[in-house]
Amino acid sequence: MLRAIGLVAWQTFTLLRRDKMVRAAVIAGFLTTVLALLASTWSIEDQIKILFDVGFFCFQLVGSIMAIFWGSKSVGDSRQDGAIEWQLAAPISRTSWLLGKYLGLAVSTLLLGALLLIIWQLGMILGDYGILSMGQLAVYLLMLLGWLVLLALSLLFSVSMRFSLALFAGVGGWLVGLTSAAVAAALTPETPPEAQAIVRVLARAWDLQAFNLVDRVLEAPGISPASLLNHVGYGLVLIAIFLTVAALASQRGDIA
Amino acid sequence: MQTEATSKIAEDVALVDVRKVFRSDLLRGPQVALEKLTCRFPAGRCTGLLGHNGAGKTTTIKLILGLLKPDAGNITIGGSQISLEQKRLIGYMPEVNKLPAALTAREVLLFQLRMFAPEFAAKAAAKRDAVEAALAAVELGEHADKLVGNLSKGMARRLAWAQATIHQPRVLILDEPASGLDPLACRQMLDWIRAEKLRGTTIILCTHELAQLVTLCHQYHILRRGKLVVSGSLGPNSAQQYIVHVSGLRADGLERLAEREGLPPWRQLRQEGVLAELSFVGYEHSAHWLQTLLAHGYVVTHFGVDALAFEENLLQHFAGGT
């Protein structure tokens, strides 16, 4: 089973590394770094904060969009060109196939993240900001975990929907996740209690801001390792839930 | 295209009371694709699966491959329910090119070999040799590193054949294998199928080309609106019409020969110049005539199934006749 999962992961990775979107993402990462450096240079105070606020915001944007796009496209493309039939006619269970897809997508996303990190680090060195601290690196890695969560969500949607719908649902889920905590915090006493309860539960269950701790790491007292682990655990649980539901959904239907 | 599994034991494929309903179309309601379909694809034989568009041929193939799940009934390979191990025995060549466009020809075959033939997992050299041999066999050696999306249609069909057979499957499912090929490539494809047939592979041939059916298949099943309407044999003992073309004999000469030798009556006689075409129902009568004509030194220019009569008969089944 592990061999079959590895083979599908390898194939998915091979297909994605030839995707034109990789080049676009790397260019976007480079431009982001340049923009963040320029913005920090132009400011007269809080230069490091501006550097990270602008840079990580753009990385968040680029990485999340790539994760949603790849997660939806990987299965959507296979379905559209019929390759899913060829892949699943092989001696592999649908769950293994799905896990292999996710693994290939995750490796591709992490490599893209590593490439963007190198560009960012080079930019920091050129701008005389030195080398990333452990805390800053941890925040970056947490952001990557957020991308992997979005990847799992998009894969879940793409298993049960067509590409365009899955992409739409993925973007919707991303926006909800980004704003849920802010909306919950902005509730007024006039909001009906039932609505408040729903929004708070949603904000607690699906909060993508949990993977964006750049503010907390730049300000004293920083972030404790225990708190960081909580966020990592939350991300891993979300990935496990999404993949489990995706595996269950893929068992039910017919292929193509 | 040589793997370790050189001694091949063919497996039969059987469908019993299979029903498949598609429920995804909200506007049209449930669509019954197959209704109580029972048919058998015997081990080591080539069986044609025919029917008009939408008759249920592709649904049948997808059910055997496990891509669709039946609503009722049983599908077995070699007497066992289809499991992952059973799927390892199958080679599948889809009608249109369904290989990922961004993989190279070599990557496609490597994936297929690693997935279907785990005995190669630890043998890099053997794996490489098998892939190179498969590429050479379908004359794609020079295009091994081309992306599938950049291959011509003929090359893509050859690659599809290579991926279907690289692991030496015991059951080979071919969906319109010669579709879109030029006459030369088509002949090559038919030769490859014949070679697989000789190796004793169980072949399921889904085709609209009746000539392919006559020349390749031992038997056939015809589907109409998801039901099996007729099954028949194309072997020498079947009730097909056979024709004999004999040169230099006219009707009166043939009649005299029949009377003298006690030959069975022909079904139809057509005379065109010096060539007489005799048609018979069944192999035995036609073979008796063939033997006698040859014994008397007459020149027999053709002997075989009457493709036109066969086609006419099949078209009646397609159209809904008896």
Side-chain angles (χ1 to χ4, degrees):
Chain A
M1 189 182 80
L2 285 177
R3 198 176 44 82
I5 291 174
L7 280 171
V8 174
W10 167 78
Q11 193 188 84
T12 306
F13 172 69
T14 308
L15 290 170
L16 287 179
R17 80 183 155 87
R18 289 179 186 147
D19 192 292
K20 286 176 184 152
M21 283 293 284
V22 176
R23 258 173 277 167
V26 172
I27 291 169
F30 174 76
L31 293 177
T32 295
T33 307
V34 172
L35 178 71
L37 282 170
L38 284 176
S40 68
T41 312
W42 292 334
S43 66
I44 45 173
E45 56 183 12
D46 285 337
Q47 288 177 325
I48 192 90
K49 183 171 177 354
I50 290 171
L51 177 80
F52 274 84
D53 276 351
V54 174
F56 275 38
F57 171 74
C58 292
F59 276 165
Q60 186 83 266
L61 208 66
V62 170
S64 301
I65 289 171
M66 282 301 289
I68 294 167
F69 183 75
W70 272 351
S72 316
K73 182 179 160 29
S74 180
V75 176
D77 274 3
S78 303
R79 194 174 278 148
Q80 200 171 355
D81 62 19
I84 196 168
E85 283 182 29
W86 172 65
Q87 290 162 345
L88 285 173
I92 184 170
S93 70
R94 293 184 187 183
T95 303
S96 301
W97 177 79
L98 196 75
L99 289 177
K101 276 266 168 206
Y102 184 75
L103 200 62
L105 285 162
V107 169
S108 308
T109 307
L110 290 176
L111 283 178
L112 177 69
L115 204 60
L116 295 183
L117 182 65
I118 291 168
I119 294 171
W120 179 254
Q121 182 59 79
L122 288 175
M124 278 183 71
I125 292 169
L126 286 174
D128 279 338
Y129 290 106
I131 291 174
L132 279 163
S133 69
M134 285 307 284
Q136 290 162 351
L137 187 65
V139 167
Y140 187 83
L141 294 178
L142 197 64
M143 186 172 71
L144 290 192
L145 183 64
W147 297 359
L148 298 187
V149 169
L150 281 171
L151 210 55
L153 178 73
S154 309
L155 201 61
L156 162 63
F157 286 139
S158 67
V159 163
S160 39
M161 298 174 197
R162 274 179 297 171
F163 169 62
S164 51
L165 274 177
L167 191 62
F168 187 74
V171 171
W174 176 48
L175 294 176
V176 170
L178 282 180
T179 54
S180 60
V183 171
L187 289 173
T188 59
E190 289 80 36
T191 311
E194 297 82 10
Q196 285 195 27
I198 291 169
V199 172
R200 289 207 172 101
V201 167
L202 184 68
R204 213 166 292 158
W206 180 232
D207 176 19
L208 284 175
Q209 294 297 350
F211 306 106
N212 179 17
L213 301 184
V214 68
D215 283 345
R216 283 174 63 183
V217 84
L218 292 174
E219 289 163 7
I223 184 166
S224 68
S227 170
L228 199 66
L229 273 179
N230 270 342
H231 288 266
V232 171
Y234 171 63
L236 294 179
V237 166
L238 282 179
I239 291 172
I241 290 172
F242 291 149
L243 289 183
T244 307
V245 178
L248 290 173
S250 70
Q251 297 302 313
R252 289 178 57 239
D254 294 329
I255 301 299
Chain B
M1 246 184 272
Q2 292 298 313
T3 69
E4 283 190 344
T6 45
S7 57
K8 202 173 354 182
I9 305 158
E11 305 281 357
D12 71 343
V13 179
L15 290 90
V16 180
D17 286 337
V18 172
R19 178 180 159 83
K20 179 67 195 168
V21 182
F22 291 111
R23 295 184 174 82
S24 57
D25 197 330
L26 293 174
L27 293 175
R28 288 191 299 171
Q31 300 289 306
V32 179
L34 293 179
E35 185 64 88
K36 278 191 164 286
L37 177 67
T38 298
C39 60
R40 193 169 157 261
F41 301 91
R45 314 281 282 174
C46 180
T47 307
L49 188 60
L50 295 102
H52 56 81
N53 293 328
K57 304 185 296 289
T58 304
T59 302
T60 306
I61 285 179
K62 286 184 178 176
L63 283 164
I64 295 170
L65 290 168
L67 299 173
L68 301 179
K69 295 188 173 178
D71 292 295
N74 266 328
I75 303 169
T76 56
I77 294 182
S80 311
Q81 297 284 336
I82 296 174
S83 62
L84 293 185
E85 273 311 306
Q86 299 288 323
K87 280 173 90 174
R88 215 179 284 286
L89 307 174
I90 304 176
Y92 170 50
M93 182 182 180
E95 180 184 359
V96 284
N97 186 20
K98 290 186 173 174
L99 304 172
L103 289 183
T104 65
R106 181 178 276 118
E107 285 166 350
V108 165
L109 296 185
L110 262 176
F111 174 83
Q112 195 77 356
L113 196 62
R114 284 170 174 159
M115 190 63 98
F116 280 83
E119 66 270 20
F120 278 96
K123 300 173 189 165
K127 205 159 46 192
R128 196 180 52 238
D129 290 349
V131 168
E132 294 309 319
L135 284 165
V138 294
E139 295 165 22
L140 283 178
E142 287 176 18
H143 307 281
D145 296 314
K146 254 191 189 175
L147 296 181
V148 171
N150 295 336
L151 295 176
S152 70
K153 185 164 188 181
M155 287 178 190
R157 297 304 286 157
R158 297 210 298 266
L159 178 63
W161 172 266
Q163 64 80 30
T165 54
I166 191 168
H167 57 293
Q168 290 208 329
R170 293 181 187 177
V171 177
L172 187 56
I173 300 175
L174 307 171
D175 196 354
E176 297 288 350
S179 142
L181 293 179
D182 62 59
L184 205 63
C186 186
R187 173 176 283 191
Q188 197 175 36
M189 181 65 71
L190 299 188
D191 285 345
W192 290 337
I193 298 172
R194 268 188 210 104
E196 276 300 319
K197 205 171 120 180
L198 287 173
R199 276 192 208 111
T201 311
T202 306
I203 300 175
I204 300 174
L205 177 67
C206 207
T207 182
H208 286 299
E209 297 285 330
L210 299 180
Q212 276 177 28
L213 184 79
V214 173
T215 53
L216 292 171
C217 294
H218 297 105
Q219 61 174 61
Y220 61 89
H221 300 304
I222 299 181
L223 302 181
R224 192 171 64 236
R225 291 184 197 139
K227 290 179 182 166
L228 182 71
V229 286
V230 70
S231 294
S233 166
L234 290 159
N237 297 317
S238 71
Q240 295 300 327
Q241 283 194 41
Y242 282 77
I243 50 173
V244 180
H245 288 181
V246 57
S247 182
L249 259 179
R250 295 192 172 276
D252 51 345
L254 286 164
E255 275 166 8
R256 275 200 301 276
L257 183 67
E259 204 177 310
R260 199 168 61 235
E261 300 291 333
L263 294 169
W266 56 73
R267 186 180 166 275
Q268 200 179 8
L269 170 66
R270 286 198 313 138
Q271 189 81 46
E272 226 172 85
V274 292
L275 196 71
E277 182 188 275
L278 296 143
S279 67
F280 302 91
V281 176
Y283 175 76
E284 274 180 25
H285 287 187
S286 56
H288 194 173
W289 266 91
L290 176 70
Q291 211 173 12
T292 311
L293 288 167
L294 292 174
H296 284 79
Y298 291 109
V299 179
V300 176
T301 57
H302 176 76
F303 172 75
V305 171
D306 185 347
L308 277 176
F310 178 63
E311 191 171 321
E312 195 59 41
N313 187 23
L314 287 186
L315 286 174
Q316 275 183 18
H317 289 300
F318 272 48
T322 51

